[in-house]
């Protein structure tokens, strides 16, 4: 990804929780996850991808995992809410709905951190 600092290093977490970092580069750089997804699908090479982005392609056999015991480090998913609106019922209901819906997306793991409104 051309718009992410440190994208020239591939960081992966192994099966025992160990971290590995290796130089990683290539001729094709994109600045959007969907562009990377399309490049993988077109056979343009290898690269890291979060499960939520490519789960359907893996399930259909269109992509193949080459390091199944390794994964990119988790990335937090945050929702920003204007503090003055946090106690509005429709806002709270939307936050709760989205938190439940996101939990069903492949590769998204809910932590024990409570939702703070």
């Amino acid at each position: 990804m051309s718009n992410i600092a440190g994208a020239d290093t591939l960081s992966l977490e192994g099966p025992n929780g160990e971290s590995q970092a290796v130089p990683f580069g290539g001729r094709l750089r994109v600045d959007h996850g969907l562009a990377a997804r399309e490049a993988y699908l077109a056979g343009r090479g290898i690269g890291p991808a979060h499960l939520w982005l490519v789960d359907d392609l893996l399930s259909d056999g269109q992509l193949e995992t080459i390091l199944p015991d390794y994964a990119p480090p988790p990335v937090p998913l945050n929702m920003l809410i204007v503090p003055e609106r946090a106690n509005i019922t429709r806002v709270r209901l939307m936050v709760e709905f989205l938190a439940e819906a996101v939990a069903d997306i492949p590769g998204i793991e809910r932590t024990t951190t409570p939702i703070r409104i």
Side-chain angles (χ1 to χ4, degrees), residues 11-20 64-73:
S11 297
L12 296 171
E13 292 184 357
N16 297 324
E18 75 277 7
S19 295
Q20 302 289 329
E64 182 178 335
T65 302
I66 59 172
L67 295 171
D69 295 332
Y70 291 83

Side-chain angles (χ1 to χ4, degrees), residues 1-81:
M1 297 293 283
S2 63
N3 61 345
I4 297 175
D8 56 346
T9 301
L10 177 61
S11 297
L12 296 171
E13 292 184 357
N16 297 324
E18 75 277 7
S19 295
Q20 302 289 329
V22 294
F24 190 77
R27 292 182 290 177
L28 176 65
R29 292 203 176 245
V30 296
D31 64 358
H32 197 281
L34 291 177
R37 174 189 159 98
E38 291 302 315
Y40 299 146
L41 192 55
R44 298 289 304 198
I46 65 169
H50 291 284
L51 186 56
W52 58 264
L53 182 64
V54 295
D55 180 64
D56 60 325
L57 300 176
L58 291 167
S59 296
D60 292 345
Q62 296 178 63
L63 289 183
E64 182 178 335
T65 302
I66 59 172
L67 295 171
D69 295 332
Y70 291 83
V75 177
L77 180 62
N78 299 295
M79 185 182 324
L80 300 177
I81 303 166

Side-chain angles (χ1 to χ4, degrees), residues 97-109:
F97 169 79
L98 290 173
E100 289 299 319
V102 165
D104 292 335
I105 297 172
I108 302 290
E109 295 178 16

Side-chain angles (χ1 to χ4, degrees), residues 71-117:
V75 177
L77 180 62
N78 299 295
M79 185 182 324
L80 300 177
I81 303 166
V82 176
E84 295 80 24
R85 298 183 145 274
N87 290 324
I88 298 173
T89 302
R90 68 178 181 264
V91 173
R92 275 196 335 270
L93 290 172
M94 179 59 83
V95 168
E96 291 169 9
F97 169 79
L98 290 173
E100 289 299 319
V102 165
D104 292 335
I105 297 172
I108 302 290
E109 295 178 16
R110 191 169 197 170
T111 65
T112 56
T113 305
I115 299 171
R116 290 178 279 157
I117 298 180

